[in-house]
Amino acid sequence: MTRMHETKSNRTGFNSVFGGDYTVFGLLGAILAVYLLYPFVTFFAGAQGNGISVADFTRPEIISAARYSLTTAPISTAVATAFGVPLAYFLSRSEFRGKLLVDSLVILPLVLPPVVGGVMLLTGFGSFTPVGQVANSLGLTLTDSYIGIIFAQTFVASPFVVITSRAGFDSVEEYERASRSLGKGPVETFFRVSLPLTSGHILAGVALTFARSIGEFGATMMTAYNPHTMPTQIWVTFISRGVYATLPIVAVLVTFGLAVVVGIRYSGKSIGVKE
Amino acid sequence: MIRLDGVTKTYGGFGLDVDVELGNEITAVIGPSGSGKSTLLEIISGFETPDSGSVFLNDQPLDGVSPEQRNIGMVFQRPTLFPHLSVRENIEYGAAITDDEIRDLCKLLEIDGLLEADRSPETLSGGEKRRVSVARAIVTEPDALLLDEPTTGLDEPIRRRLKYELRRVLADLDIPCIYVTHDQNEASVVADSVVVMRDGTVLQQGSYEEMLESPRNEFVADFVGIENLIRGEIRETESGRTVVDTGVAWVEPEQTVLDDGNVSKSDVCIGIVPESVTITENTRGDGGRRTQTQPHRSDGTSINSIDCTVERVISERGSKTIFLDCGLSETFKAVVNSSVTVNEGDDVAVEFDGSDVVVV
């Protein structure tokens, strides 16, 4: 009895550090968590004593930036979803030469500094490029315009919806086979099985794409400094009026970000297929 | 009837090469992992295209026919019930079916209670999921049914019961049912005939009994449960009888050891099913007790009896599995009634009848 008790005590002691209550991991993780939280606290606490009023939230440039961001980000997200989901499905189901290249290309905008993406977009769609000139002749301006913002946001944010959707499609291939063995063709199978089962993944991708689009700055600075989106307006306000003057836009963006993260966490319960 | 005519498929160092015909019965395809069982099903179902050769269903070639047009039902290793649909919607997915028909089918598979209240597949037990997936496949009235290890991952009691039920349901279908399994016992219970595969080829095809009586090689013998495989030399006794000298005993199979007139054959492998032997107490001072029907030679070499020492005894429900050191290169295995009393370290004699010895 005593021996049993000792053994149990030893095991509990061991577990308390390395497995049982994960103390060591918790402590290490807490350092990062505090580091992530600290700037939010200092920013919002500091802003309180710097004369930011409710009127600042309704300044014309703030309203204008919010309007541009809130009208471009949904369009960028829709474009990324409309073309990204089919691409994800194609990559998940097909084998072809150069697939690795396409796979890498999809991820590339995530690892490149956004400003690099902006530079490349300028060389492809700038006013003096062939594509830009054709667009100009049709009365469209592809840079420093509403379209330019959408180009930048789509370039930087679309990988999110492609990657998450693809992970979803990868996980339901066997269900598709079951459907096809039951006499349903690929298109019917896609809409009756693949799409409903991956809706959680796709929605998570859409939410991330939207969040990334609305917060896009680096590429947008290069392709469409004007008109200002919210992130661009933060930069302009910071340069002209100091860090705390950015509070109204920062608050709006942080609220959006939080809503997306909480939304994904909540819908995360339905992501993935359990047997 | 399904026929695979010169079907080959190669990828990643694996090669499948089969010529096989499967009739309107339940055929178990058995073999170790990587033997090509699942690839065979993928090719028949149309999810994989063979490099060469053709698959025929009822004499119609299936070249270029997509999986959904083949009318071949499939029960996957995982039940793959659509989690966003109810049990009833899953069963009805492949074909429109009346309330009476669905009820009769579910009664047959003992899942009629699952149709109520829009039960979600996620609320079902493992065995129930398998039954629903079988029902879903049968509803489409397929021309053939493929089952890829449908009892894998189930608890033993559920698995035991399900295999008998599957036998009953599949036997009534009167279509080719191909049942992939790695369990020879399951194959013997469920199937009318067996195909043994290894390294992408069919080693032997026939009824389970045929394979037990005349396995084509040691691999087939081992896979169908003839676990005691002993190599020996063919000799002639003083009395003119042909026996196999295993080094520790002479074995005289009832079956001829010199088939096809190959008299020059000197090495041979014989097989003895663990369940066919009896264990007797070794009362002889220098060896085992001889029975009257199994005479031994004057030099003491036994015939159809081997002196052994018990290495290990494992008691199971209604039987004991005994591992014996008989001086052979491999441990000899015997399965006897649980009433037989043996202990580790006992000197015993293993006896068997010549009719229970197969020449591999």
Side-chain angles (χ1 to χ4, degrees), chain B residues 91-92 97-112 115 131-132 134-140 168-169 173:
Chain B
I91 296 171
E92 291 172 337
I97 183 171
T98 66
D99 267 1
D100 287 342
E101 284 170 333
I102 197 170
R103 210 156 281 288
D104 288 346
L105 175 65
C106 290
K107 206 166 267 182
L108 188 70
L109 283 155
E110 298 178 14
I111 50 170
D112 43 321
L115 295 174
R131 287 190 181 90
V132 172
V134 171
R136 186 178 67 173
I138 291 175
V139 147
T140 59
R168 178 172 55 82
V169 172
L173 293 178

PDB file of all heavy atoms in Angstrom, chain B residues 91-92 97-112 115 131-132 134-140 168-169 173:
ATOM      1  N   ILE B  91     -28.771   6.333 -46.528  1.00  0.00           N
ATOM      2  CA  ILE B  91     -29.201   5.102 -47.206  1.00  0.00           C
ATOM      3  C   ILE B  91     -29.895   5.431 -48.530  1.00  0.00           C
ATOM      4  O   ILE B  91     -29.724   4.734 -49.526  1.00  0.00           O
ATOM      5  CB  ILE B  91     -30.124   4.273 -46.278  1.00  0.00           C
ATOM      6  CG1 ILE B  91     -29.328   3.810 -45.053  1.00  0.00           C
ATOM      7  CG2 ILE B  91     -30.699   3.069 -47.009  1.00  0.00           C
ATOM      8  CD1 ILE B  91     -30.167   3.165 -43.970  1.00  0.00           C
ATOM      9  N   GLU B  92     -30.625   6.537 -48.548  1.00  0.00           N
ATOM     10  CA  GLU B  92     -31.368   6.910 -49.754  1.00  0.00           C
ATOM     11  C   GLU B  92     -30.507   7.673 -50.765  1.00  0.00           C
ATOM     12  O   GLU B  92     -30.985   8.011 -51.841  1.00  0.00           O
ATOM     13  CB  GLU B  92     -32.560   7.808 -49.365  1.00  0.00           C
ATOM     14  CG  GLU B  92     -33.643   7.072 -48.597  1.00  0.00           C
ATOM     15  CD  GLU B  92     -34.712   8.022 -48.071  1.00  0.00           C
ATOM     16  OE1 GLU B  92     -34.424   9.228 -47.917  1.00  0.00           O
ATOM     17  OE2 GLU B  92     -35.821   7.554 -47.812  1.00  0.00           O
ATOM     18  N   ILE B  97     -36.005   5.131 -52.972  1.00  0.00           N
ATOM     19  CA  ILE B  97     -36.459   3.859 -52.409  1.00  0.00           C
ATOM     20  C   ILE B  97     -37.712   4.133 -51.571  1.00  0.00           C
ATOM     21  O   ILE B  97     -37.810   5.169 -50.913  1.00  0.00           O
ATOM     22  CB  ILE B  97     -35.322   3.223 -51.570  1.00  0.00           C
ATOM     23  CG1 ILE B  97     -35.717   1.866 -51.015  1.00  0.00           C
ATOM     24  CG2 ILE B  97     -34.829   4.125 -50.491  1.00  0.00           C
ATOM     25  CD1 ILE B  97     -34.556   1.113 -50.383  1.00  0.00           C
ATOM     26  N   THR B  98     -38.659   3.215 -51.638  1.00  0.00           N
ATOM     27  CA  THR B  98     -39.910   3.438 -50.893  1.00  0.00           C
ATOM     28  C   THR B  98     -39.678   3.166 -49.410  1.00  0.00           C
ATOM     29  O   THR B  98     -38.688   2.524 -49.031  1.00  0.00           O
ATOM     30  CB  THR B  98     -41.021   2.507 -51.388  1.00  0.00           C
ATOM     31  OG1 THR B  98     -40.643   1.171 -51.073  1.00  0.00           O
ATOM     32  CG2 THR B  98     -41.254   2.650 -52.889  1.00  0.00           C
ATOM     33  N   ASP B  99     -40.634   3.641 -48.610  1.00  0.00           N
ATOM     34  CA  ASP B  99     -40.537   3.443 -47.156  1.00  0.00           C
ATOM     35  C   ASP B  99     -40.478   1.964 -46.798  1.00  0.00           C
ATOM     36  O   ASP B  99     -39.705   1.549 -45.931  1.00  0.00           O
ATOM     37  CB  ASP B  99     -41.752   4.085 -46.469  1.00  0.00           C
ATOM     38  CG  ASP B  99     -41.431   5.509 -46.054  1.00  0.00           C
ATOM     39  OD1 ASP B  99     -40.288   5.943 -46.325  1.00  0.00           O
ATOM     40  OD2 ASP B  99     -42.313   6.173 -45.486  1.00  0.00           O
ATOM     41  N   ASP B 100     -41.306   1.163 -47.493  1.00  0.00           N
ATOM     42  CA  ASP B 100     -41.343  -0.279 -47.198  1.00  0.00           C
ATOM     43  C   ASP B 100     -40.014  -0.937 -47.543  1.00  0.00           C
ATOM     44  O   ASP B 100     -39.501  -1.777 -46.800  1.00  0.00           O
ATOM     45  CB  ASP B 100     -42.478  -0.953 -47.978  1.00  0.00           C
ATOM     46  CG  ASP B 100     -43.832  -0.590 -47.381  1.00  0.00           C
ATOM     47  OD1 ASP B 100     -43.852  -0.141 -46.214  1.00  0.00           O
ATOM     48  OD2 ASP B 100     -44.851  -0.736 -48.093  1.00  0.00           O
ATOM     49  N   GLU B 101     -39.470  -0.530 -48.697  1.00  0.00           N
ATOM     50  CA  GLU B 101     -38.209  -1.144 -49.139  1.00  0.00           C
ATOM     51  C   GLU B 101     -37.081  -0.813 -48.157  1.00  0.00           C
ATOM     52  O   GLU B 101     -36.292  -1.684 -47.788  1.00  0.00           O
ATOM     53  CB  GLU B 101     -37.841  -0.632 -50.539  1.00  0.00           C
ATOM     54  CG  GLU B 101     -38.669  -1.277 -51.642  1.00  0.00           C
ATOM     55  CD  GLU B 101     -38.464  -0.593 -52.998  1.00  0.00           C
ATOM     56  OE1 GLU B 101     -38.129   0.615 -53.019  1.00  0.00           O
ATOM     57  OE2 GLU B 101     -38.659  -1.261 -54.017  1.00  0.00           O
ATOM     58  N   ILE B 102     -37.016   0.432 -47.755  1.00  0.00           N
ATOM     59  CA  ILE B 102     -35.929   0.842 -46.844  1.00  0.00           C
ATOM     60  C   ILE B 102     -36.085   0.133 -45.496  1.00  0.00           C
ATOM     61  O   ILE B 102     -35.106  -0.300 -44.873  1.00  0.00           O
ATOM     62  CB  ILE B 102     -35.874   2.383 -46.685  1.00  0.00           C
ATOM     63  CG1 ILE B 102     -34.525   2.795 -46.108  1.00  0.00           C
ATOM     64  CG2 ILE B 102     -36.971   2.922 -45.825  1.00  0.00           C
ATOM     65  CD1 ILE B 102     -34.271   4.289 -46.140  1.00  0.00           C
ATOM     66  N   ARG B 103     -37.361  -0.039 -45.082  1.00  0.00           N
ATOM     67  CA  ARG B 103     -37.601  -0.704 -43.799  1.00  0.00           C
ATOM     68  C   ARG B 103     -37.203  -2.185 -43.868  1.00  0.00           C
ATOM     69  O   ARG B 103     -36.573  -2.717 -42.962  1.00  0.00           O
ATOM     70  CB  ARG B 103     -39.084  -0.552 -43.421  1.00  0.00           C
ATOM     71  CG  ARG B 103     -39.340  -0.514 -41.944  1.00  0.00           C
ATOM     72  CD  ARG B 103     -40.615   0.192 -41.597  1.00  0.00           C
ATOM     73  NE  ARG B 103     -40.470   1.638 -41.624  1.00  0.00           N
ATOM     74  CZ  ARG B 103     -39.809   2.352 -40.717  1.00  0.00           C
ATOM     75  NH1 ARG B 103     -39.216   1.768 -39.701  1.00  0.00           N
ATOM     76  NH2 ARG B 103     -39.724   3.661 -40.799  1.00  0.00           N
ATOM     77  N   ASP B 104     -37.551  -2.833 -44.999  1.00  0.00           N
ATOM     78  CA  ASP B 104     -37.200  -4.249 -45.157  1.00  0.00           C
ATOM     79  C   ASP B 104     -35.677  -4.429 -45.155  1.00  0.00           C
ATOM     80  O   ASP B 104     -35.141  -5.338 -44.519  1.00  0.00           O
ATOM     81  CB  ASP B 104     -37.777  -4.800 -46.470  1.00  0.00           C
ATOM     82  CG  ASP B 104     -39.294  -4.947 -46.382  1.00  0.00           C
ATOM     83  OD1 ASP B 104     -39.818  -4.873 -45.245  1.00  0.00           O
ATOM     84  OD2 ASP B 104     -39.937  -5.114 -47.437  1.00  0.00           O
ATOM     85  N   LEU B 105     -35.006  -3.551 -45.903  1.00  0.00           N
ATOM     86  CA  LEU B 105     -33.553  -3.655 -45.999  1.00  0.00           C
ATOM     87  C   LEU B 105     -32.906  -3.451 -44.630  1.00  0.00           C
ATOM     88  O   LEU B 105     -32.001  -4.194 -44.226  1.00  0.00           O
ATOM     89  CB  LEU B 105     -33.023  -2.611 -46.991  1.00  0.00           C
ATOM     90  CG  LEU B 105     -31.507  -2.505 -47.127  1.00  0.00           C
ATOM     91  CD1 LEU B 105     -30.931  -3.786 -47.712  1.00  0.00           C
ATOM     92  CD2 LEU B 105     -31.121  -1.324 -48.007  1.00  0.00           C
ATOM     93  N   CYS B 106     -33.391  -2.447 -43.915  1.00  0.00           N
ATOM     94  CA  CYS B 106     -32.796  -2.152 -42.611  1.00  0.00           C
ATOM     95  C   CYS B 106     -33.114  -3.254 -41.604  1.00  0.00           C
ATOM     96  O   CYS B 106     -32.308  -3.542 -40.718  1.00  0.00           O
ATOM     97  CB  CYS B 106     -33.287  -0.804 -42.104  1.00  0.00           C
ATOM     98  SG  CYS B 106     -32.606   0.557 -43.064  1.00  0.00           S
ATOM     99  N   LYS B 107     -34.269  -3.867 -41.764  1.00  0.00           N
ATOM    100  CA  LYS B 107     -34.607  -4.984 -40.877  1.00  0.00           C
ATOM    101  C   LYS B 107     -33.634  -6.129 -41.119  1.00  0.00           C
ATOM    102  O   LYS B 107     -33.160  -6.781 -40.189  1.00  0.00           O
ATOM    103  CB  LYS B 107     -36.056  -5.422 -41.143  1.00  0.00           C
ATOM    104  CG  LYS B 107     -36.718  -6.076 -39.940  1.00  0.00           C
ATOM    105  CD  LYS B 107     -38.209  -6.183 -40.115  1.00  0.00           C
ATOM    106  CE  LYS B 107     -38.909  -4.983 -39.513  1.00  0.00           C
ATOM    107  NZ  LYS B 107     -40.362  -5.035 -39.604  1.00  0.00           N
ATOM    108  N   LEU B 108     -33.326  -6.362 -42.394  1.00  0.00           N
ATOM    109  CA  LEU B 108     -32.398  -7.429 -42.772  1.00  0.00           C
ATOM    110  C   LEU B 108     -31.035  -7.216 -42.111  1.00  0.00           C
ATOM    111  O   LEU B 108     -30.384  -8.159 -41.665  1.00  0.00           O
ATOM    112  CB  LEU B 108     -32.244  -7.429 -44.303  1.00  0.00           C
ATOM    113  CG  LEU B 108     -31.459  -8.576 -44.936  1.00  0.00           C
ATOM    114  CD1 LEU B 108     -32.235  -9.876 -44.827  1.00  0.00           C
ATOM    115  CD2 LEU B 108     -31.172  -8.262 -46.405  1.00  0.00           C
ATOM    116  N   LEU B 109     -30.627  -5.943 -42.047  1.00  0.00           N
ATOM    117  CA  LEU B 109     -29.319  -5.624 -41.467  1.00  0.00           C
ATOM    118  C   LEU B 109     -29.421  -5.237 -39.986  1.00  0.00           C
ATOM    119  O   LEU B 109     -28.433  -4.802 -39.391  1.00  0.00           O
ATOM    120  CB  LEU B 109     -28.667  -4.489 -42.257  1.00  0.00           C
ATOM    121  CG  LEU B 109     -28.057  -4.910 -43.589  1.00  0.00           C
ATOM    122  CD1 LEU B 109     -27.990  -3.744 -44.545  1.00  0.00           C
ATOM    123  CD2 LEU B 109     -26.672  -5.497 -43.392  1.00  0.00           C
ATOM    124  N   GLU B 110     -30.626  -5.389 -39.444  1.00  0.00           N
ATOM    125  CA  GLU B 110     -30.877  -5.101 -38.025  1.00  0.00           C
ATOM    126  C   GLU B 110     -30.526  -3.661 -37.653  1.00  0.00           C
ATOM    127  O   GLU B 110     -29.893  -3.395 -36.628  1.00  0.00           O
ATOM    128  CB  GLU B 110     -30.128  -6.097 -37.137  1.00  0.00           C
ATOM    129  CG  GLU B 110     -30.590  -7.523 -37.367  1.00  0.00           C
ATOM    130  CD  GLU B 110     -29.821  -8.538 -36.535  1.00  0.00           C
ATOM    131  OE1 GLU B 110     -29.124  -8.139 -35.594  1.00  0.00           O
ATOM    132  OE2 GLU B 110     -29.931  -9.723 -36.844  1.00  0.00           O
ATOM    133  N   ILE B 111     -30.891  -2.732 -38.541  1.00  0.00           N
ATOM    134  CA  ILE B 111     -30.656  -1.311 -38.237  1.00  0.00           C
ATOM    135  C   ILE B 111     -31.941  -0.514 -38.405  1.00  0.00           C
ATOM    136  O   ILE B 111     -31.895   0.717 -38.557  1.00  0.00           O
ATOM    137  CB  ILE B 111     -29.547  -0.707 -39.137  1.00  0.00           C
ATOM    138  CG1 ILE B 111     -29.813  -1.041 -40.618  1.00  0.00           C
ATOM    139  CG2 ILE B 111     -28.175  -1.157 -38.716  1.00  0.00           C
ATOM    140  CD1 ILE B 111     -28.922  -0.306 -41.585  1.00  0.00           C
ATOM    141  N   ASP B 112     -33.096  -1.188 -38.401  1.00  0.00           N
ATOM    142  CA  ASP B 112     -34.355  -0.476 -38.634  1.00  0.00           C
ATOM    143  C   ASP B 112     -34.632   0.561 -37.539  1.00  0.00           C
ATOM    144  O   ASP B 112     -35.291   1.566 -37.790  1.00  0.00           O
ATOM    145  CB  ASP B 112     -35.536  -1.444 -38.799  1.00  0.00           C
ATOM    146  CG  ASP B 112     -35.514  -2.568 -37.789  1.00  0.00           C
ATOM    147  OD1 ASP B 112     -34.417  -3.058 -37.490  1.00  0.00           O
ATOM    148  OD2 ASP B 112     -36.593  -2.954 -37.296  1.00  0.00           O
ATOM    149  N   LEU B 115     -33.626   4.417 -38.180  1.00  0.00           N
ATOM    150  CA  LEU B 115     -34.260   5.280 -39.179  1.00  0.00           C
ATOM    151  C   LEU B 115     -35.055   6.407 -38.541  1.00  0.00           C
ATOM    152  O   LEU B 115     -35.375   7.393 -39.186  1.00  0.00           O
ATOM    153  CB  LEU B 115     -35.195   4.451 -40.073  1.00  0.00           C
ATOM    154  CG  LEU B 115     -34.500   3.402 -40.950  1.00  0.00           C
ATOM    155  CD1 LEU B 115     -35.533   2.554 -41.655  1.00  0.00           C
ATOM    156  CD2 LEU B 115     -33.588   4.087 -41.953  1.00  0.00           C
ATOM    157  N   ARG B 131     -23.011  -1.380 -40.858  1.00  0.00           N
ATOM    158  CA  ARG B 131     -24.264  -1.929 -41.398  1.00  0.00           C
ATOM    159  C   ARG B 131     -24.960  -0.899 -42.292  1.00  0.00           C
ATOM    160  O   ARG B 131     -25.467  -1.236 -43.352  1.00  0.00           O
ATOM    161  CB  ARG B 131     -25.197  -2.328 -40.251  1.00  0.00           C
ATOM    162  CG  ARG B 131     -24.755  -3.563 -39.525  1.00  0.00           C
ATOM    163  CD  ARG B 131     -25.848  -4.028 -38.588  1.00  0.00           C
ATOM    164  NE  ARG B 131     -25.438  -5.211 -37.866  1.00  0.00           N
ATOM    165  CZ  ARG B 131     -24.822  -5.182 -36.697  1.00  0.00           C
ATOM    166  NH1 ARG B 131     -24.567  -4.054 -36.113  1.00  0.00           N
ATOM    167  NH2 ARG B 131     -24.464  -6.307 -36.111  1.00  0.00           N
ATOM    168  N   VAL B 132     -24.953   0.367 -41.838  1.00  0.00           N
ATOM    169  CA  VAL B 132     -25.600   1.411 -42.644  1.00  0.00           C
ATOM    170  C   VAL B 132     -24.855   1.576 -43.975  1.00  0.00           C
ATOM    171  O   VAL B 132     -25.476   1.738 -45.033  1.00  0.00           O
ATOM    172  CB  VAL B 132     -25.643   2.753 -41.878  1.00  0.00           C
ATOM    173  CG1 VAL B 132     -26.141   3.877 -42.778  1.00  0.00           C
ATOM    174  CG2 VAL B 132     -26.536   2.639 -40.652  1.00  0.00           C
ATOM    175  N   VAL B 134     -23.254  -0.693 -45.592  1.00  0.00           N
ATOM    176  CA  VAL B 134     -23.609  -1.844 -46.446  1.00  0.00           C
ATOM    177  C   VAL B 134     -25.001  -1.607 -47.042  1.00  0.00           C
ATOM    178  O   VAL B 134     -25.220  -1.803 -48.246  1.00  0.00           O
ATOM    179  CB  VAL B 134     -23.565  -3.171 -45.645  1.00  0.00           C
ATOM    180  CG1 VAL B 134     -24.142  -4.310 -46.472  1.00  0.00           C
ATOM    181  CG2 VAL B 134     -22.138  -3.487 -45.226  1.00  0.00           C
ATOM    182  N   ALA B 135     -25.928  -1.149 -46.211  1.00  0.00           N
ATOM    183  CA  ALA B 135     -27.291  -0.876 -46.693  1.00  0.00           C
ATOM    184  C   ALA B 135     -27.253   0.176 -47.798  1.00  0.00           C
ATOM    185  O   ALA B 135     -27.915   0.039 -48.834  1.00  0.00           O
ATOM    186  CB  ALA B 135     -28.163  -0.387 -45.532  1.00  0.00           C
ATOM    187  N   ARG B 136     -26.459   1.221 -47.602  1.00  0.00           N
ATOM    188  CA  ARG B 136     -26.361   2.295 -48.585  1.00  0.00           C
ATOM    189  C   ARG B 136     -25.844   1.773 -49.935  1.00  0.00           C
ATOM    190  O   ARG B 136     -26.301   2.205 -50.998  1.00  0.00           O
ATOM    191  CB  ARG B 136     -25.421   3.377 -48.045  1.00  0.00           C
ATOM    192  CG  ARG B 136     -25.328   4.610 -48.882  1.00  0.00           C
ATOM    193  CD  ARG B 136     -24.428   5.646 -48.258  1.00  0.00           C
ATOM    194  NE  ARG B 136     -23.023   5.229 -48.208  1.00  0.00           N
ATOM    195  CZ  ARG B 136     -22.023   6.010 -47.828  1.00  0.00           C
ATOM    196  NH1 ARG B 136     -22.279   7.234 -47.425  1.00  0.00           N
ATOM    197  NH2 ARG B 136     -20.779   5.577 -47.815  1.00  0.00           N
ATOM    198  N   ALA B 137     -24.905   0.847 -49.869  1.00  0.00           N
ATOM    199  CA  ALA B 137     -24.344   0.299 -51.109  1.00  0.00           C
ATOM    200  C   ALA B 137     -25.323  -0.650 -51.796  1.00  0.00           C
ATOM    201  O   ALA B 137     -25.405  -0.691 -53.020  1.00  0.00           O
ATOM    202  CB  ALA B 137     -23.025  -0.414 -50.809  1.00  0.00           C
ATOM    203  N   ILE B 138     -26.087  -1.402 -51.007  1.00  0.00           N
ATOM    204  CA  ILE B 138     -27.003  -2.402 -51.574  1.00  0.00           C
ATOM    205  C   ILE B 138     -28.220  -1.740 -52.222  1.00  0.00           C
ATOM    206  O   ILE B 138     -28.761  -2.237 -53.211  1.00  0.00           O
ATOM    207  CB  ILE B 138     -27.454  -3.391 -50.468  1.00  0.00           C
ATOM    208  CG1 ILE B 138     -26.279  -4.262 -50.043  1.00  0.00           C
ATOM    209  CG2 ILE B 138     -28.589  -4.266 -50.965  1.00  0.00           C
ATOM    210  CD1 ILE B 138     -26.615  -5.175 -48.885  1.00  0.00           C
ATOM    211  N   VAL B 139     -28.628  -0.602 -51.666  1.00  0.00           N
ATOM    212  CA  VAL B 139     -29.838   0.087 -52.131  1.00  0.00           C
ATOM    213  C   VAL B 139     -29.802   0.370 -53.633  1.00  0.00           C
ATOM    214  O   VAL B 139     -30.823   0.340 -54.317  1.00  0.00           O
ATOM    215  CB  VAL B 139     -30.008   1.401 -51.323  1.00  0.00           C
ATOM    216  CG1 VAL B 139     -30.633   2.491 -52.147  1.00  0.00           C
ATOM    217  CG2 VAL B 139     -30.852   1.146 -50.103  1.00  0.00           C
ATOM    218  N   THR B 140     -28.621   0.608 -54.182  1.00  0.00           N
ATOM    219  CA  THR B 140     -28.520   0.963 -55.601  1.00  0.00           C
ATOM    220  C   THR B 140     -28.648  -0.254 -56.509  1.00  0.00           C
ATOM    221  O   THR B 140     -28.546  -0.118 -57.732  1.00  0.00           O
ATOM    222  CB  THR B 140     -27.171   1.654 -55.891  1.00  0.00           C
ATOM    223  OG1 THR B 140     -26.122   0.749 -55.518  1.00  0.00           O
ATOM    224  CG2 THR B 140     -27.015   2.926 -55.085  1.00  0.00           C
ATOM    225  N   ARG B 168     -24.718 -13.763 -44.404  1.00  0.00           N
ATOM    226  CA  ARG B 168     -26.142 -14.011 -44.656  1.00  0.00           C
ATOM    227  C   ARG B 168     -26.691 -13.016 -45.694  1.00  0.00           C
ATOM    228  O   ARG B 168     -27.369 -13.412 -46.647  1.00  0.00           O
ATOM    229  CB  ARG B 168     -26.899 -13.864 -43.321  1.00  0.00           C
ATOM    230  CG  ARG B 168     -28.400 -14.027 -43.376  1.00  0.00           C
ATOM    231  CD  ARG B 168     -28.965 -14.061 -41.958  1.00  0.00           C
ATOM    232  NE  ARG B 168     -28.588 -12.911 -41.139  1.00  0.00           N
ATOM    233  CZ  ARG B 168     -29.194 -11.722 -41.172  1.00  0.00           C
ATOM    234  NH1 ARG B 168     -30.215 -11.541 -41.973  1.00  0.00           N
ATOM    235  NH2 ARG B 168     -28.795 -10.738 -40.391  1.00  0.00           N
ATOM    236  N   VAL B 169     -26.356 -11.756 -45.544  1.00  0.00           N
ATOM    237  CA  VAL B 169     -26.903 -10.723 -46.439  1.00  0.00           C
ATOM    238  C   VAL B 169     -26.285 -10.828 -47.832  1.00  0.00           C
ATOM    239  O   VAL B 169     -26.994 -10.791 -48.850  1.00  0.00           O
ATOM    240  CB  VAL B 169     -26.641  -9.320 -45.840  1.00  0.00           C
ATOM    241  CG1 VAL B 169     -27.016  -8.227 -46.829  1.00  0.00           C
ATOM    242  CG2 VAL B 169     -27.415  -9.153 -44.549  1.00  0.00           C
ATOM    243  N   LEU B 173     -27.543 -11.868 -52.379  1.00  0.00           N
ATOM    244  CA  LEU B 173     -27.514 -10.866 -53.445  1.00  0.00           C
ATOM    245  C   LEU B 173     -27.361 -11.467 -54.840  1.00  0.00           C
ATOM    246  O   LEU B 173     -27.795 -10.886 -55.832  1.00  0.00           O
ATOM    247  CB  LEU B 173     -26.367  -9.863 -53.195  1.00  0.00           C
ATOM    248  CG  LEU B 173     -26.512  -8.958 -51.979  1.00  0.00           C
ATOM    249  CD1 LEU B 173     -25.284  -8.056 -51.850  1.00  0.00           C
ATOM    250  CD2 LEU B 173     -27.757  -8.100 -52.084  1.00  0.00           C
TER     251      LEU B 173
END
